[in-house]
Amino acid sequence: MNGAVLVAVVAAIGNLLQGWDNATIAGSVLYIKREFNLESEPTIEGLIVAMSLIGATLITTCSGALADSLGRRPLMIISSVLYFVSGLVMLWSPNVYVLLFARLLDGFGIGLAVTLVPVYISETAPPEIRGSLNTLPQFTGSGGMFMSYCMVFGMSLTKTPSWRLMLGILSVPSLVYFALTILFLPESPRWLVSKGRMLEAKQVLQRLRGREDVSGEMALLVEGLGVGGETSFEEYIIGPGNDLMDEQDLSGENDLIKLYAPEEGLSWVARPVTGQSTIGLVSRHGSMASRSGLIDPLVTLFGSVHEKFPETGSMRSMLFPHFGSMFSVGGNQPRQEEWDEESLARDGEEYASDAVGGDSDDNLQSPLISRQTTSMDKELGPPPHGSLASMQHGSLAQGNAGDPASSMGIGGGWQLAWKWSEREGKDGKKEGGFKRIYLHQEGVSASRRGSLVSIPGGDVPADGEFIQAAALVSQPALYSAELMNQQPVGPAMVHPSETAAKGPSWSVLFEPGVKHALAVGVGLQILQQFSGINGVLYYTPQILEEAGVGVLLSNLGISSASSSLLISALTTLLMLPSIAVAMRLMDISGRRSLLLSTIPVLILSLIILVLGSLVDMGQVVNASISTVSVVLYFCCFVMGFGPVPNILCAEIFPTRVRGICIAICALSFWIGDIIVTYTLPLMLKSIGLAGVFGMYAVVCLISWVFVFMKVPETKGMPLEVITEFFSVGAKQAAAIKNN
């Protein structure tokens, strides 16, 4: 885990610079107004602050496509360069126009960092700690704000505070960020797989996970290239192969899936349970409840996963306590690097498709599927209809039902497996079918028959350990519907590089699951902004000064402006332990739970702010109430509504269009940010502080309802499984709507 934590910390420095800039402009704008005589021109004042937001919005319109084509790492490096250059220009700034240009460059850097850092961390982090690591940007952003407010406060105590120096110091940490991104950040392994660069992706994963065997996760990344497809829920009893095979009732024999443990001669078999899976049943009841229109079926579907699956332990640890890879069976498998070279030499001689793109580096050196079958060939001998190595090249020989399938841990207690099945074709001949299975334990292990006696169709031998597992079954990512139309000999398969060559397609955005995810992501981003947080942050010193907080520190001889900056610094300091708590709870309580529990506190603190502004209880009392309420609002915001929208948006989209989709969500984020920030000074003058916070309270109430109805829980689930669930949930919602 150390590798994933290190790259997450380095990447999150981009958000530290954003927080630094937010706090610096909030403090320095007090002095910019004086130098450029903007006291009577709130429009220009708002434009100076909002120019960085305009720049972020402009760069976001193309950042998604650039991230999907060029990669995540190069754009984060460009972001650090833009931060550095903008800091130098702001240090110079002879007039307001140059300052506006510098703020625009700064916005470009902010836009790239805010868009790409959550995506990068999500794509590199293990599912078990992905939420915690993706809360780091919120922590570093608040840490940057605290350091910046302290710096601005110290400068405000001097005789002639220099706003140019306040803004220009940004170039120093941005230079550090540039060096760290060059030295420590690898490219995202998911992006590398999407481009067919398999060997590079494997090497990055080995570095991030700190182990040699990453076969399971590599296979998962390949499966992430698929979008849409027919998916069904099934349920299996998994136990020792011999025990299930010895059962007299072998009616489900053709559907057996054989799983291998590392120990030689030890194998496990999964047998379908009669009836529908528990997930399917729960989600069906949820769908019936959703007919009233209150709760999205997707929320119920994800909720059934977390209700049925144990929080501790996993099928992986229970079945395979020393799980490495099924490829170690037999003990005489070559090392991955050796196999890569052998595969390249063998495949290059036989298949013309290998020559295509052969100059693109190593994209054909690690065809994962053929490695599985090569390993099984060594242990079990070739299948009756010939080698399965041709799976990667278009079509493969027909496999027998019951052939052993590979099974690998993919994080969060999930297993990735494949199975063969047969069906009658139109001409009466049997056709082979290749299915991908995501498995997860539904119950607890048992060593006695009685523990499974209540499971429909779950009669198992009394001895040995058995696991009840839910299965999400669908076509694999390398399945080609186009080739199926050409009626090949067996299941149509394509190599990852051929899938990657197609690149992101705008048509994928209209897939039901992707559209559903976009609705959730865009809705959260808009509501987050209109809850007013960024507007309040940018103008915290002025808001607190208007609330009279200068009275609290006037006896110390500190000016009203300096006292506002000091209060802002203390506010951001109090945020840090709140974010630390959120980091701990993000992968335990979950994203949805944190939102539902913290948004009511936001509403309460805003109502108290409104009452404190309307009721005159004395200057000192009003100032104290305003300060406590603002601190409470900020601390609860950074625990839920601050980090969760970005975390969810980085989790719910398929790999092939993740950059484009996250850019769409970020675009809505920045548009809302511009509106709130630009209009706040005008709103303060027109309806006052009470009216502003009253509007924010109403938006927070709407946000809670939206989260309750539409936002699912994604904790601990691999990204590829999340997108698969979105696809299923969207189709359920569509079916309910049509009926």
Side-chain angles (χ1 to χ4, degrees):
M1 299 296 184
N2 292 338
V5 173
L6 175 62
V7 299
V9 170
V10 173
I13 296 177
N15 290 76
L16 182 147
L17 299 180
Q18 181 209 10
W20 181 290
D21 176 76
N22 288 349
T24 303
I25 193 63
S28 60
V29 73
L30 301 173
Y31 306 100
I32 294 174
K33 287 195 302 182
R34 296 174 188 173
E35 179 169 334
F36 294 123
N37 300 318
L38 302 178
E39 299 289 349
S40 60
E41 298 185 46
T43 301
I44 300 298
E45 173 195 347
L47 189 60
I48 291 174
V49 176
M51 186 56 70
S52 65
L53 308 182
I54 294 173
T57 304
L58 292 176
I59 199 69
T60 298
T61 57
C62 60
S63 63
L66 289 175
D68 284 335
S69 60
L70 300 179
R72 285 55 162 141
R73 181 175 181 266
L75 293 189
M76 286 193 285
I77 294 174
I78 293 174
S79 171
S80 65
V81 173
L82 289 170
Y83 275 128
F84 177 73
V85 174
S86 66
L88 294 180
V89 177
M90 285 188 287
L91 182 62
W92 171 52
S93 294
N95 54 58
V96 70
Y97 302 106
V98 175
L99 177 60
L100 290 174
F101 173 71
R103 297 289 299 158
L104 183 67
L105 292 179
D106 182 53
F108 290 160
I110 291 175
L112 290 178
V114 170
T115 302
L116 295 174
V117 168
V119 175
Y120 181 83
I121 294 177
S122 286
E123 292 185 341
T124 55
E128 295 85 354
I129 59 172
R130 187 178 61 237
S132 297
L133 293 185
N134 235 337
T135 312
L136 274 174
Q138 187 76 35
F139 186 86
T140 56
S142 296
M145 290 176 60
F146 171 69
M147 292 186 289
S148 180
Y149 272 128
C150 290
M151 177 197 70
V152 174
F153 170 73
M155 291 183 175
S156 70
L157 299 178
T158 62
K159 293 183 179 180
T160 56
S162 172
W163 60 264
R164 289 181 177 84
L165 186 58
M166 294 177 185
L167 296 174
I169 290 180
L170 175 68
S171 59
V172 176
S174 63
L175 190 60
V176 176
Y177 182 44
F178 172 78
L180 292 177
T181 52
I182 292 290
L183 295 175
F184 294 104
L185 291 192
E187 184 52 84
S188 162
R190 281 180 167 84
W191 182 85
L192 291 171
V193 167
S194 74
K195 297 302 177 183
R197 294 157 63 175
M198 312 299 289
L199 185 57
E200 287 183 61
K202 185 200 72 174
Q203 292 170 343
V204 171
L205 273 179
Q206 288 173 334
R207 171 182 167 187
L208 293 175
R209 304 295 180 255
R211 63 176 186 268
E212 288 294 317
D213 185 12
V214 291
S215 303
E217 195 165 356
M218 280 292 292
L220 175 69
L221 303 194
V222 173
E223 292 299 335
L225 299 178
V227 180
E230 294 298 325
T231 304
S232 63
F233 288 109
E234 298 178 7
E235 194 159 341
Y236 297 109
I237 296 296
I238 301 176
N242 292 335
D243 287 350
L244 283 182
M245 291 295 291
D246 289 342
E247 283 288 277
Q248 295 180 356
D249 181 12
L250 297 178
S251 58
E253 181 179 356
N254 288 341
D255 294 323
L256 290 180
I257 306 169
K258 200 165 187 179
L259 311 178
Y260 287 97
E263 293 83 356
E264 183 175 1
L266 179 61
S267 62
W268 299 78
V269 172
R271 186 178 68 181
V273 174
T274 305
Q276 190 177 8
S277 81
T278 308
I279 293 181
L281 290 172
V282 173
S283 63
R284 187 177 65 181
H285 293 315
S287 298
M288 295 173 63
S290 301
R291 293 180 190 276
S292 62
L294 293 179
I295 301 178
D296 195 313
L298 184 72
V299 175
T300 307
L301 182 63
F302 274 85
S304 66
V305 176
H306 298 292
E307 288 174 8
K308 301 303 296 182
F309 295 162
E311 293 296 329
T312 58
S314 66
M315 185 174 67
R316 167 180 171 175
S317 62
M318 300 177 75
L319 289 182
F320 312 125
H322 306 293
F323 195 90
S325 168
M326 66 162 288
F327 307 128
S328 62
V329 176
N332 58 351
Q333 304 299 324
R335 294 173 65 245
Q336 173 76 43
E337 292 79 0
E338 297 171 356
W339 183 89
D340 286 338
E341 300 300 327
E342 295 170 4
S343 169
L344 181 64
R346 182 186 70 241
D347 295 340
E349 296 171 358
E350 188 173 352
Y351 298 100
S353 62
D354 286 3
V356 180
D359 56 349
S360 64
D361 69 3
D362 51 51
N363 60 348
L364 299 182
Q365 292 189 27
S366 183
L368 296 173
I369 302 299
S370 72
R371 184 184 180 203
Q372 299 163 14
T373 55
T374 301
S375 300
M376 287 189 290
D377 288 346
K378 290 187 177 182
E379 179 69 17
L380 303 172
H385 298 283
S387 173
L388 300 180
S390 58
M391 260 194 312
Q392 57 173 325
H393 301 287
S395 66
L396 70 162
Q398 201 168 335
N400 285 344
D403 278 350
S406 61
S407 176
M408 291 168 283
I410 55 177
W414 289 84
Q415 293 266 336
L416 173 61
W418 294 270
K419 74 170 183 177
W420 292 101
S421 61
E422 289 185 346
R423 63 178 181 178
E424 293 290 335
K426 295 181 180 179
D427 55 358
K429 295 182 179 180
K430 288 186 176 181
E431 296 179 352
F434 189 61
K435 297 289 187 180
R436 177 193 66 214
I437 308 173
Y438 292 127
L439 289 167
H440 201 295
Q441 177 189 350
E442 278 201 335
V444 297
S445 63
S447 58
R448 292 292 180 265
R449 181 188 186 94
S451 62
L452 295 175
V453 70
S454 61
I455 301 174
D459 291 336
V460 297
D463 298 327
E465 287 194 359
F466 298 91
I467 299 297
Q468 182 185 0
L472 193 62
V473 183
S474 63
Q475 296 290 352
L478 305 187
Y479 172 89
S480 172
E482 297 175 0
L483 290 178
M484 283 300 293
N485 294 332
Q486 301 173 15
Q487 298 181 346
V489 177
M493 304 292 293
V494 294
H495 190 272
S497 64
E498 298 175 28
T499 302
K502 299 178 182 179
S505 173
W506 287 98
S507 63
V508 175
L509 298 180
F510 297 98
E511 287 283 340
V514 178
K515 287 194 299 183
H516 210 110
L518 278 172
V520 172
V522 171
L524 278 176
Q525 296 289 2
I526 292 176
L527 290 171
Q528 183 204 52
Q529 287 307 305
F530 283 92
S531 68
I533 180 62
N534 277 335
V536 175
L537 284 175
Y538 285 130
Y539 291 95
T540 293
Q542 291 174 264
I543 290 174
L544 293 179
E545 187 174 356
E546 184 174 325
V549 297
V551 177
L552 299 176
L553 299 172
S554 60
N555 294 334
L556 299 177
I558 299 177
S559 66
S560 178
S562 296
S563 63
S564 296
L565 293 171
L566 181 59
I567 292 293
S568 297
L570 295 176
T571 300
T572 54
L573 178 62
L574 291 175
M575 290 182 188
L576 297 180
S578 300
I579 301 173
V581 172
M583 291 177 65
R584 173 62 179 162
L585 296 178
M586 197 64 69
D587 291 308
I588 299 176
S589 299
R591 293 83 157 126
R592 173 181 165 88
S593 299
L594 281 176
L595 286 176
L596 292 177
S597 58
T598 56
I599 291 178
V601 182
L602 299 183
I603 298 172
L604 178 62
S605 62
L606 289 170
I607 292 175
I608 294 175
L609 269 174
V610 172
L611 295 177
S613 300
L614 294 177
V615 180
D616 186 8
M617 294 174 286
Q619 197 172 23
V620 175
V621 175
N622 280 353
S624 301
I625 290 177
S626 298
T627 302
V628 171
S629 298
V630 168
V631 170
L632 182 64
Y633 176 87
F634 284 157
C635 290
C636 289
F637 186 91
V638 297
M639 288 183 65
F641 223 167
V644 171
N646 284 339
I647 293 175
L648 281 173
C649 288
E651 292 177 332
I652 60 180
F653 301 115
T655 299
R656 285 180 59 190
V657 291
R658 186 170 290 125
I660 294 175
C661 291
I662 199 72
I664 294 173
C665 295
L667 189 62
S668 60
F669 170 92
W670 291 118
I671 291 174
D673 200 349
I674 290 173
I675 295 173
V676 170
T677 304
Y678 192 77
T679 57
L680 183 59
L682 303 176
M683 291 172 61
L684 285 173
K685 287 191 174 183
S686 59
I687 61 177
L689 200 63
V692 169
F693 285 121
M695 292 177 59
Y696 292 164
V698 173
V699 173
C700 287
L701 180 61
I702 296 173
S703 302
W704 190 92
V705 175
F706 178 81
V707 171
F708 180 77
M709 294 174 57
K710 297 291 184 181
V711 179
E713 182 56 73
T714 61
K715 65 175 181 178
M717 300 176 68
L719 299 183
E720 290 72 15
V721 177
I722 293 173
T723 57
E724 196 77 21
F725 268 77
F726 261 92
S727 178
V728 176
K731 291 174 183 176
Q732 283 188 355
I736 293 173
K737 184 177 180 180
N738 293 334
N739 293 332

